[in-house]
């Protein structure tokens, strides 16, 4: 994969530049056609990136980086820029023997066999994974990760994420990058979505609830159409978030999404999901049966060939979407999920009282989680630990918001604004929250005292972080 | 709009497949919906959706089938898909004793959560591997009887029993009211889990 401008045209083999079989029929033709159409832009992009890398080798100009990333990272720069954005290169350099030593650690049979089961069925349509060589790489990345991240271990979906990373990176860097994508250790870099992949998947479910509320508000007709046919938004969108779109969008589009996701973080998942609704609003609004919704939504996502248009919609078309709003909706989602879990638990107990439990296996087995062992429980961390993690996560997003108020929150154009021009002088300080400890905590809505008191709730989904902001309004308004 | 169409009436039912990883849920659906069998069935992330119809007298029963993910961890997402189902097929692998325990645990969960008129079918799959059988037909049949479940043994690979399984489910489903042809769909609950926590443990 060189970034050189070579003669274009349909690829000689029926593989694309990433090793995927070009889909048959109209979709495949559309992908090839769009690639040709996009080629001049892609070439300009390469020149710009080369210039940028020469002028700013340490990538210190974050604003410039963000603008360039939003227009797409050329293939030849992806590995380096992803690893930079996520901090995985630093981790790798700082831990030169870690990957190899993780691979020497044992894993449970259950984990090993689940990984094996999935290896042969991860992108069987990609050249790399047709051969044992590529499969072996994927195996090692997933095994090292399972040892490294004890809470997550292995979860289906990670196989797809790792497999895409391996198209650009060697095993060791792919491993560190996967680690940072799932659960960042490096300060402000990386994502924090390990809750998508652990037992219960509470964070995923909460995010889907949050997305639902935002879709309902921004695209009421499309949303109403889904509901009219009895479709839950989460049926459609769960996989989008879980595999970070890699199993639902064309690969070229997935890569554009990941470019932004890895630099700007979690909110990009929301922006892109909303952009898919935006780009197809009219069609979605006219669905007439449940079957049509389910089949067409899959088709719609797999046909997002025009990645530039989708990204434009994500940053402009969908309108404003502040981090604070996403955070509020996430807090709402977390409450809904906690309620759901409590109701499910209560039902289970009521049922078990009526019918003594059979000597089958437990309803919710502990995590496949050897080294983490406090006695009993579901293997989750303590409420205080969860509170601290949560506070850290929120603090980070405040810091991010500060960036945003300097950089503009994603409302800059994707392709129109002059990259080399001066930044608009407006939008500077003003809206940055003052960062005294008090104001930070109240901004975060974290009750410090509650973090320090041991909670007697054993429900793993409830941390003792209380989110005060806007709760009441959200809890009661049906937003109609 | 109904003027001269003597077309059979189509009724829609939501059906969900549950069971441990690798017992053959996806293969069963593919066999039923497309009459095919793939050795390398792609892993199901969350759930996959498919439809297939069964003709029953003057009625077409159209199943809206949800095939759920196998990995244990995805269990927490299952309620998202079995909510509002009219029928559930709980699958185990006759060559794997643990998967039978898994099936029982699923049945317990469903009985605790779903209304009592939901049709639950216990299905022992992979009977083409008779030589390695670990779960006897008598044992499973007895369990199904005690719990008022439909029971069927199948092979997604050869197709044996698959059609019969869905035919029997179709026959056992409660008849729907005649009127709503236009909308067709009426099975899926329009409510969220949080609002249907009212005790449904009618047993
Ligand atoms: N011999 C045999 N193998 C089967 C049968 N059904 C499924 N399999 C195999 O069992 C494995 C898991 O099947 P799959 O449908 O993906 O299981 P799921 O996880 O329950 O969806 C695959 O390798 C299938 O080829 C069957 O009836 N007979
Ligand atoms: Mg499956």
């Amino acid at each position: 994969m060189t970034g050189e401008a070579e003669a274009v045209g349909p690829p000689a083999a029926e593989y694309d530049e990433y090793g995927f079989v070009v889909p048959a029929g109209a979709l495949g033709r559309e992908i090839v056609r769009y690639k040709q159409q996009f080629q001049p832009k892609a070439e300009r992009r390469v020149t710009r990136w080369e210039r940028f890398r020469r002028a700013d080798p340490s990538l210190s100009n974050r604003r410039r980086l963000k603008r360039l990333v939003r227009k797409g990272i050329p293939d030849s720069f992806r590995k380096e820029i992803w690893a930079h954005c996520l901090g995985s290169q630093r981790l790798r350099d700082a831990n030169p023997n870690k990957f190899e030593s993780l691979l020497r650690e044992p894993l449970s049979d259950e984990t090993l066999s689940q990984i094996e089961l999935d290896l042969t069925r991860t992108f069987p349509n990609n050249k790399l994974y047709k051969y044992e060589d590529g499969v072996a790489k994927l195996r090692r990345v997933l095994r090292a990760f399972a040892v490294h991240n004890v809470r997550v271990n292995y979860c289906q979906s990670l196989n797809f994420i790792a497999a895409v990373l391996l198209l650009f990176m060697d095993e060791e860097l792919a491993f560190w990058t996967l680690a940072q994508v799932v659960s960042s250790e490096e300060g402000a870099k990386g994502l924090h979505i390990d809750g998508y992949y652990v037992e219960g998947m509470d964070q995923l479910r909460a995010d889907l609830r949050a997305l639902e509320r935002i879709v309902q508000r921004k695209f009421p007709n499309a949303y109403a159409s889904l509901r009219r046919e009895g479709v839950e938004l989460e049926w459609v969108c769960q996989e989008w978030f879980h595999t970070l779109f890699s199993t639902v969008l064309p690969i070229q589009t997935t890569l554009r999404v990941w470019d932004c996701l890895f630099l700007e973080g979690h909110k990009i998942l929301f922006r892109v999901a909303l952009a898919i609704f935006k780009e197809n609003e009219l069609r979605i609004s006219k669905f007439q049966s449940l079957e049509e919704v389910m089949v067409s939504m899959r088709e719609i996502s797999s046909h997002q060939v025009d990645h530039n248009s989708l990204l434009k919609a994500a940053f402009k078309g969908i309108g404003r979407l502040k981090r604070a709003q996403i955070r509020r909706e996430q807090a709402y989602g977390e409450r809904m999920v906690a309620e759901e879990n409590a109701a499910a638990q209560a039902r289970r107990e009521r049922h078990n009282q009526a019918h003594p439990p059979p000597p089958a296996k437990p309803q919710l087995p502990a995590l496949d989680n050897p080294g983490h062992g406090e006695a009993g429980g579901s293997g989750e961390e303590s409420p205080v630990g969860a509170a601290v993690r949560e506070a850290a996560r929120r603090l980070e997003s405040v810091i991010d918001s500060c960036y945003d108020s300097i950089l503009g929150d994603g409302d800059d154009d994707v392709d129109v604004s002059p990259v080399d021009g001066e930044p608009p002088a407006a939008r500077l300080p003003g809206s940055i929250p003052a960062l005294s400890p008090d104001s930070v905590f109240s901004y975060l809505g974290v009750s410090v005292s509650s973090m320090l008191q041991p909670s007697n709730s054993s429900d793993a989904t409830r941390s003792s972080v209380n989110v005060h902001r806007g709760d009441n309004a959200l809890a009661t308004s049906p937003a109609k | 709009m109904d003027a001269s169409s003597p077309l059979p009436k189509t009724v829609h039912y939501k059906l969900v497949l549950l069971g441990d990883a690798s017992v053959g849920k996806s293969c069963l659906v593919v066999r039923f919906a497309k009459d095919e069998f793939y050795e390398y069935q792609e892993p199901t992330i969350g759930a996959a959706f498919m439809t297939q119809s069964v003709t029953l007298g003057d009625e077409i029963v159209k199943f809206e089938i949800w095939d759920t993910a196998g990995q244990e961890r995805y269990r927490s997402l299952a309620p998202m898909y079995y909510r509002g189902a009219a029928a559930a097929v709980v699958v185990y692998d006759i060559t794997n004793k643990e998967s039978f325990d898994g099936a029982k645990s699923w049945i317990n969960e469903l009985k605790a959560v779903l209304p009592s008129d939901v049709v639950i079918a216990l299905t022992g799959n992979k009977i083409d591997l008779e030589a390695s059988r670990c779960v006897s037909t008598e044992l499973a049949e007895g369990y199904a009887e005690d719990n008022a479940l439909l029971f069927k043994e199948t092979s997604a690979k050869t197709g044996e029993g698959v059609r019969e399984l869905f035919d029997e489910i179709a026959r056992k489903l409660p008849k729907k009211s005649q009127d709503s042809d236009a909308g067709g769909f009426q099975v899926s609950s329009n409510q969220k889990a949080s609002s249907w926590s009212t005790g449904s443990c009618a047993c």
Side-chain angles (χ1 to χ4, degrees):
Chain A
M1 254 167 280
T2 66
E4 305 304 312
E6 277 159 19
V8 279
E14 70 249 73
Y15 293 108
D16 68 18
E17 63 272 40
Y18 308 107
F20 282 94
V21 175
V22 177
L27 177 57
R29 284 195 299 277
E30 171 68 9
I31 289 174
V32 172
R33 193 197 59 74
Y34 184 74
K35 192 187 164 204
Q36 282 170 355
Q37 180 196 319
F38 191 71
Q39 188 62 25
K41 272 189 180 139
E43 283 164 24
R44 261 183 277 135
R45 230 170 40 172
V46 173
T47 320
R48 243 184 244 141
W49 273 88
E50 281 166 352
R51 197 148 21 101
F52 174 54
R53 296 298 290 115
R54 274 198 303 277
D56 186 3
S58 61
L59 299 166
S60 58
N61 186 342
R62 195 182 146 102
R63 178 171 4 97
R64 186 81 204 289
L65 179 62
K66 179 171 168 178
R67 290 186 166 221
L68 284 172
V69 165
R70 283 193 176 183
K71 288 168 197 277
I73 305 174
D75 291 332
S76 50
F77 286 94
R78 255 194 190 112
K79 166 183 161 182
E80 177 199 355
I81 302 299
W82 282 0
H84 168 83
C85 292
L86 291 164
S88 46
Q89 187 62 52
R90 283 239 318 264
L91 279 167
R92 177 200 195 149
D93 295 343
N95 303 278
N97 302 314
K98 182 85 179 276
F99 180 67
E100 287 304 324
S101 78
L102 287 170
L103 285 174
R104 288 192 293 271
E105 298 288 321
L107 277 168
S108 74
D109 287 348
E110 196 190 331
T111 302
L112 290 173
S113 68
Q114 185 67 56
I115 291 176
E116 285 310 304
L117 191 63
D118 289 347
L119 287 175
T120 49
R121 14 182 232 181
T122 304
F123 297 132
N125 58 337
N126 188 292
K127 214 170 11 180
L128 183 60
Y129 303 109
K130 280 199 182 4
Y131 302 100
E132 180 51 30
D133 185 41
V135 170
K137 286 182 184 177
L138 185 56
R139 176 185 291 119
R140 284 191 292 268
V141 170
L142 293 173
R143 284 186 181 178
F145 179 85
V147 176
H148 174 73
N149 192 323
V150 180
R151 280 183 81 222
V152 172
N153 192 268
Y154 174 68
C155 180
Q156 287 178 330
S157 290
L158 298 179
N159 54 323
F160 294 108
I161 300 172
V164 174
L165 294 174
L166 276 170
L167 299 178
F168 294 89
M169 297 172 165
D170 60 77
E171 289 166 45
E172 190 178 355
L173 190 58
F175 157 73
W176 284 111
T177 305
L178 178 65
Q180 287 296 94
V181 166
V182 172
S183 178
S184 171
E185 307 177 353
E186 266 284 80
K189 298 194 165 185
L191 300 169
H192 299 272
I193 50 173
D194 42 341
Y196 281 15
Y197 307 104
V198 299
E199 195 70 53
M201 299 179 178
D202 288 3
Q203 188 188 0
L204 176 70
R205 289 154 61 209
D207 271 3
L208 290 167
R209 291 307 177 83
L211 176 66
E212 175 169 16
R213 299 248 295 194
I214 304 171
V215 169
Q216 181 177 11
R217 209 160 296 160
K218 286 194 181 281
F219 309 108
N221 294 336
Y223 181 76
S225 161
L226 262 52
R227 301 299 296 147
R228 189 175 60 235
E229 304 310 330
V231 171
E232 303 280 358
L233 184 97
E234 42 196 9
W235 298 348
V236 174
C237 300
Q238 177 254 333
E239 187 173 350
W240 296 6
F241 279 13
H242 226 170
T243 66
L244 310 179
F245 296 101
S246 63
T247 53
V248 295
L249 295 173
I251 180 67
Q252 293 81 357
T253 309
T254 297
L255 296 174
R256 290 285 310 267
V257 170
W258 283 18
D259 292 345
C260 300
L261 179 67
F262 294 167
L263 179 67
E264 299 185 48
H266 199 133
K267 68 169 183 182
I268 299 300
L269 293 180
F270 286 85
R271 284 195 170 278
V272 172
L274 291 164
I276 294 174
F277 279 93
K278 174 73 189 174
E279 292 274 277
N280 302 280
E281 196 177 359
L282 204 63
R283 181 169 168 201
I284 297 173
S285 304
K286 290 179 179 159
F287 286 146
Q288 296 204 339
S289 73
L290 176 132
E291 184 176 5
E292 188 188 357
V293 177
M294 295 312 302
V295 173
S296 302
M297 287 307 292
R298 255 215 106 74
E299 187 187 289
I300 280 175
S301 56
S302 66
H303 282 68
Q304 297 301 309
V305 173
D306 186 341
H307 42 79
N308 226 38
S309 160
L310 186 72
L311 272 279
K312 253 182 201 165
F315 291 113
K316 223 181 164 86
I318 64 165
R320 293 188 86 70
L321 180 66
K322 284 285 166 200
R323 271 174 212 269
Q325 186 193 349
I326 298 178
R327 225 160 33 235
R328 264 198 314 273
E329 302 297 3
Q330 284 173 321
Y332 160 83
E334 284 159 21
R335 280 198 306 278
M336 297 295 287
V337 168
E339 273 173 33
E340 249 176 58
N341 288 348
Q345 181 61 34
R347 262 197 313 271
R348 229 175 276 134
E349 278 163 16
R350 244 183 297 136
H351 181 80
N352 286 345
Q353 271 164 16
H355 318 258
K361 58 179 167 182
Q363 290 279 350
L364 285 172
L367 278 175
D368 179 10
N369 180 353
H372 208 59
E374 278 148 307
S378 57
E380 291 290 330
E381 64 191 329
S382 73
V384 176
V388 171
R389 282 172 65 85
E390 175 62 16
R393 188 170 70 81
R394 279 163 203 265
L395 182 56
E396 248 161 49
S397 57
V398 170
I399 292 167
D400 271 356
S401 308
C402 296
Y403 268 124
D404 277 354
S405 35
I406 297 166
L407 297 173
D409 181 35
D411 298 327
D412 359 356
D413 197 347
V414 181
D415 225 63
V416 179
S417 62
V419 180
D420 301 318
E422 281 303 299
R427 290 201 192 133
L428 277 175
S431 57
I432 304 175
L435 290 178
S436 76
D438 278 357
S439 69
V440 168
F441 277 108
S442 75
Y443 186 84
L444 295 171
V446 174
S447 148
V448 183
S449 61
S450 74
M451 281 164 49
L452 299 177
Q453 275 161 14
S455 155
N456 53 8
S457 157
S458 60
D459 190 333
T461 63
R462 283 206 33 209
S463 72
S464 33
V465 173
N466 300 315
V467 182
H468 302 301
R469 308 180 73 233
D471 273 14
N472 298 336
L474 277 167
T476 48
S477 86
K480 285 222 162 132
Chain B
M1 63 184 250
D2 50 335
S4 61
S5 61
L7 288 172
K9 188 165 76 81
T10 302
V11 282
H12 298 241
Y13 288 99
K14 175 172 175 178
L15 179 147
V16 62
L17 278 102
L18 300 162
D20 282 3
S22 218
V23 296
K25 297 179 295 296
S26 300
C27 288
L28 274 173
V29 180
V30 169
R31 171 62 74 191
F32 174 56
K34 304 187 192 162
D35 202 18
E36 285 168 4
F37 180 80
Y38 312 124
E39 287 295 335
Y40 296 105
Q41 182 62 45
E42 280 187 14
T44 318
I45 299 298
F49 177 83
M50 244 176 264
T51 60
Q52 176 63 301
S53 303
V54 165
T55 311
L56 201 70
D58 58 352
E59 212 178 70
I60 295 174
V61 171
K62 183 157 187 179
F63 285 114
E64 291 162 343
I65 305 168
W66 289 94
D67 168 27
T68 59
Q71 196 187 5
E72 180 66 39
R73 200 165 296 188
Y74 279 83
R75 191 162 183 143
S76 53
L77 297 187
M80 198 154 112
Y81 299 104
Y82 66 54
R83 234 171 258 165
V89 177
V90 178
V91 187
Y92 65 93
D93 170 351
I94 63 148
T95 71
N96 177 344
K97 178 78 177 62
E98 269 179 35
S99 74
F100 184 62
D101 294 335
K104 288 187 194 166
S105 145
W106 275 114
I107 286 164
N108 270 308
E109 177 169 339
L110 293 177
K111 291 208 153 202
V113 169
L114 296 179
S116 54
D117 62 346
V118 171
V119 176
I120 303 178
L122 177 66
T123 304
N125 188 40
K126 306 199 187 179
I127 50 168
D128 55 293
L129 303 175
E130 186 59 45
S132 351
R133 180 190 280 275
C134 296
V135 183
S136 76
T137 306
E138 296 72 41
L139 175 74
E141 205 162 24
Y143 176 83
E145 242 164 58
D146 293 346
N147 290 276
L149 314 169
L150 274 181
F151 174 70
K152 199 88 212 157
E153 288 191 332
T154 58
S155 167
K157 190 165 185 172
T158 65
E160 191 179 344
V162 177
R163 192 78 212 181
E164 291 87 334
L165 167 69
F166 287 92
D167 282 349
E168 259 181 57
I169 293 171
R171 275 196 296 276
K172 186 122 187 261
L173 283 166
K175 284 277 170 288
K176 283 193 177 179
S177 56
Q178 301 299 309
D179 40 32
S180 64
D181 251 295
F185 182 79
Q186 50 175 249
V187 188
S188 171
S189 148
N190 279 327
Q191 301 157 328
K192 291 288 193 183
S194 48
S195 58
W196 55 264
S197 52
T198 49
S200 47
C201 184
C203 27

